[in-house]
């Protein structure tokens, strides 16, 4: 395992996007991460050397693809401490995983589903859709004033729902603010009511060590494209017995072991959920991404991001017209520094300026958490999100250029 500090220069050399003559300060990692050369090579390797069909064809191409995909699945299973390789399903993205859960389970009118008030649309809209179409009762648990999780409100919501509580579905770490929720405590309480627990791990899987067994949860959705992996790749972990009983939302080739004109035999998970020809290059390159992450210490990754966030927070917190979403203490916001700006400071214009003037790349807008912004009456925020390959120089560049931009607009 390589220590981040000692090897930072070497790590950065692995990322072609960071090795340009005039490298950008890429601080949009909550959206998508950069890719190391090994992942790019692996994608290319598929298209050049084995551009065949995995899981079906028995020729050399097909066999190589099937074998490499199986290795990627095994690596993911180890990465998340899954008890079984077959509990790892490849999906297009975390959104697809969350939809699979919401639309693959059985629901009765009045079944209660709890989310928080700061969910990404991917863990809100499927439940709103089920509310409209099937009559489930979607309720939100309000966070504390500083966006941290309110365990008391959650306990109350569970008690109010009682035996109708069927699902607790929440994001482990919010993309809005970087705030982590206490998943183990939440799960313990939800289980007292017999509810399932689905965790949206899009913002936790890339940044901290995650053990699905230790968390005690039932489902975990993640974005492989936010974990150094190829775009168009995500994943779902689910307990075997739940996956076996869950409907697939994409049936067809690969999802059955046999069919007649009027019957079918479902394949076992994960095949049942991976209908149609898959993103083979992406699945293969996922193995390279996980290899890369596995050489890091995820606790160190998390600590590094927090230390960068401390610099960002210290640098911007006293600027007039700017306030930080979430707790003041940056160590409670991982690598995310999300800024609410005065009306006279348009977030999209400032984001454009940061890139044009200094090559600082951040995200502006509502980050697919429209519900939170609409509830509070805010237009949007400017979000800088760090990853392990970011340096102090990157975040200082953000702070300096942002301060100048605010000055220019004021
Ligand atoms: C918390 C959270 N959930 C879900 C998603 C959706 O992920 P994907 O783009 O992989 O569907 C995101 C993406 O930003 C996210 O941050």
């Amino acid at each position: 395992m390589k220590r981040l500090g000692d090897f930072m220069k070497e790590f950065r050399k692995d990322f072609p996007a960071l090795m340009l003559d005039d490298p950008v300060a890429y601080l949009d990692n909550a959206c998508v991460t950069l890719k190391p050369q090994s992942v790019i090579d692996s994608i290319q390797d598929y298209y050049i050397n084995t551009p065949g069909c995995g899981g079906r064809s028995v020729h050399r191409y097909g066999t190589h693809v099937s074998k490499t995909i199986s290795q990627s699945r095994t690596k993911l299973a180890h990465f998340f401490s899954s008890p079984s390789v077959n509990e790892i399903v490849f999906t297009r993205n975390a959104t697809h995983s969350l939809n699979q859960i919401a639309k693959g389970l059985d629901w009765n009118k009045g079944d209660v589903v709890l989310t928080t008030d700061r969910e990404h649309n991917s863990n809100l809209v499927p439940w709103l859709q089920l509310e409209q179409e099937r009559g489930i009762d979607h309720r939100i648990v309000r966070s504390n004033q500083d966006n941290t999780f309110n365990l008391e409100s959650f306990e109350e919501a569970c008690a109010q729902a009682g035996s109708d509580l069927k699902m607790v579905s929440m994001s482990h770490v919010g993309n809005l603010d970087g705030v982590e929720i206490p998943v183990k405590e939440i799960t313990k309480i939800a289980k007292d009511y017999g509810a399932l627990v689905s965790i949206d791990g899009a913002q936790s899987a890339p940044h901290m060590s995650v053990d699905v067994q230790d968390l005690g949860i039932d489902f975990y959705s993640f974005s492989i494209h936010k974990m150094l992996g190829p775009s168009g790749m995500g994943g779902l972990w689910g307990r075997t017995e739940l996956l076996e009983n869950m409907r697939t939302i994409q049936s067809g080739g690969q999802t059955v072991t046999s069919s007649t004109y009027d019957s079918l035999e479902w394949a076992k998970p994960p095949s049942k959920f991976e209908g149609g020809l898959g993103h083979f290059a992406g699945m293969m390159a996922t193995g390279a991404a996980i290899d890369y992450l596995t050489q890091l210490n995820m606790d160190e990754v998390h600590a590094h991001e927090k230390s960068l966030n401390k610099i960002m927070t210290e640098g911007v917190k006293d600027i007039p017209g700017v306030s930080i979403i979430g707790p003041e203490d940056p160590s409670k916001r991982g690598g995310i520094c999300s800024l609410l700006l005065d009306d006279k400071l348009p977030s999209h214009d400032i984001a454009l300026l940061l890139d044009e003037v200094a090559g600082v790349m951040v995200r502006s807008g509502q980050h697919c958490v429209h519900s939170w912004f609409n509830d509070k009456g805010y237009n949007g925020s400017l979000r800088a999100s760090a990853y392990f390959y970011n340096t102090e120089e990157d975040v200082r560049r953000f702070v300096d250029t942002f301060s100048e931009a605010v000055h220019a607009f004021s």
Side-chain angles (χ1 to χ4, degrees):
M1 198 161 284
K2 287 184 177 174
R3 293 188 60 81
L4 255 191
D6 302 343
F7 287 91
M8 180 56 90
K9 276 208 177 105
E10 277 186 37
F11 285 128
R12 286 177 65 88
K13 277 195 198 133
D14 293 333
F15 292 80
L18 297 176
M19 287 297 110
L20 302 175
D21 287 343
D22 191 12
V24 297
Y26 185 77
L27 292 167
D28 195 13
N29 295 288
C31 192
V32 76
T33 56
L34 303 177
K35 318 302 174 198
Q37 188 64 49
S38 56
V39 168
I40 298 165
D41 287 345
S42 177
I43 294 171
Q44 213 180 12
D45 184 51
Y46 168 75
Y47 289 112
I48 293 175
N49 296 317
T50 61
C53 203
R56 300 158 169 84
S57 311
V58 294
H59 51 65
R60 267 172 298 155
Y61 286 179
T63 312
H64 180 78
V65 172
S66 303
K67 203 171 123 204
T68 314
I69 290 175
S70 160
Q71 286 166 351
S72 295
R73 207 185 296 279
T74 304
K75 287 172 189 176
L76 276 171
H78 284 149
F79 192 69
F80 292 123
S81 301
S82 166
S84 162
V85 170
N86 294 330
E87 294 185 342
I88 301 286
V89 179
F90 282 114
T91 63
R92 287 197 294 278
N93 41 44
T95 303
H96 186 100
S97 311
L98 290 157
N99 271 273
Q100 171 57 62
I101 298 164
K103 292 163 188 171
L105 295 171
D106 289 326
W107 302 101
N108 291 314
K109 200 166 182 289
D111 284 349
V112 174
V113 174
L114 292 180
T115 67
T116 71
D117 55 355
R118 31 186 285 289
E119 297 299 329
H120 189 283
N121 279 331
S122 300
N123 188 39
L124 170 66
V125 176
W127 303 119
L128 294 178
Q129 195 181 354
L130 282 191
E131 192 160 48
Q132 286 175 358
E133 294 172 0
R134 309 252 186 102
I136 66 152
D137 183 355
H138 167 244
R139 300 180 189 174
I140 59 164
V141 178
R142 291 267 173 190
S143 306
N144 294 317
Q145 200 68 28
D146 65 354
N147 272 13
T148 52
F149 193 73
N150 188 323
L151 208 55
E152 256 173 46
S153 295
F154 174 65
E155 282 181 309
E156 261 169 45
C158 290
Q160 269 168 18
S163 60
D164 287 334
L165 183 63
K166 292 295 180 304
M167 171 65 86
V168 172
S169 185
M170 297 178 171
S171 60
H172 195 172
V173 172
N175 66 314
L176 168 72
D177 48 25
V179 172
E180 181 182 350
I181 62 166
V183 172
K184 270 169 108 167
E185 282 99 314
I186 289 169
T187 304
K188 217 159 156 269
I189 296 165
K191 292 288 159 197
D192 287 343
Y193 291 85
L196 293 174
V197 178
S198 163
I199 293 299
D200 170 0
Q203 298 295 341
S204 56
H207 304 284
M208 57 179 71
S209 88
V210 171
D211 178 330
V212 289
Q213 294 184 73
D214 183 52
L215 290 176
I217 57 181
D218 298 297
F219 295 106
Y220 185 78
S221 301
F222 49 99
S223 307
I224 292 169
H225 62 87
K226 296 188 206 294
M227 303 166 70
L228 311 180
S231 61
M233 282 305 303
L236 167 65
W237 170 83
R239 288 186 191 280
T240 298
E241 63 277 18
L242 294 168
L243 293 181
E244 277 176 350
N245 291 314
M246 187 162 75
R247 271 187 313 279
T248 180
I249 57 169
Q250 185 158 309
S251 52
Q254 189 96 4
T255 62
V256 291
T257 52
S258 182
S259 61
T260 67
Y261 291 134
D262 52 17
S263 69
L264 59 84
E265 271 170 37
W266 289 114
K268 288 206 164 304
S271 283
K272 186 171 79 169
F273 301 105
E274 295 177 355
L277 191 135
H279 180 1
F280 296 135
M283 293 183 209
M284 289 165 78
T286 293
I290 299 304
D291 282 344
Y292 200 96
L293 288 178
T294 307
Q295 63 171 332
L296 304 172
N297 176 328
M298 292 310 279
D299 293 339
E300 238 182 67
V301 166
H302 202 42
H304 175 70
E305 291 164 2
K306 286 186 196 173
S307 73
L308 295 181
N309 201 353
K310 187 160 183 267
I311 297 173
M312 295 196 278
T313 301
E314 293 292 320
V316 300
K317 72 178 173 37
D318 296 325
I319 299 177
V322 175
S323 57
I324 296 174
I325 302 178
E328 264 177 53
D329 178 356
S331 72
K332 295 190 177 149
R333 288 183 274 106
I336 292 184
C337 188
S338 195
L339 307 174
L340 282 176
L341 308 178
D342 255 8
D343 286 347
K344 63 177 186 295
L345 301 172
S347 66
H348 290 311
D349 292 348
I350 292 187
L352 270 175
L353 197 81
L354 293 189
D355 182 19
E356 271 173 26
V357 170
V360 173
M361 294 186 173
V362 295
R363 174 108 179 248
S364 48
Q366 300 194 337
H367 325 298
C368 298
V369 197
H370 298 84
S371 54
W372 186 87
F373 286 96
N374 287 335
D375 182 62
K376 306 271 183 286
Y378 300 135
N379 282 332
S381 83
L382 188 94
R383 182 188 71 188
S385 53
Y387 205 19
F388 68 86
Y389 43 63
N390 286 120
T391 58
E392 285 190 21
E393 198 275 326
D394 287 341
V395 291
R396 289 197 198 284
R397 194 161 15 144
F398 162 68
V399 168
D400 292 347
T401 326
F402 175 71
S403 311
E404 283 166 26
V406 169
H407 197 67
F409 275 92
S410 300

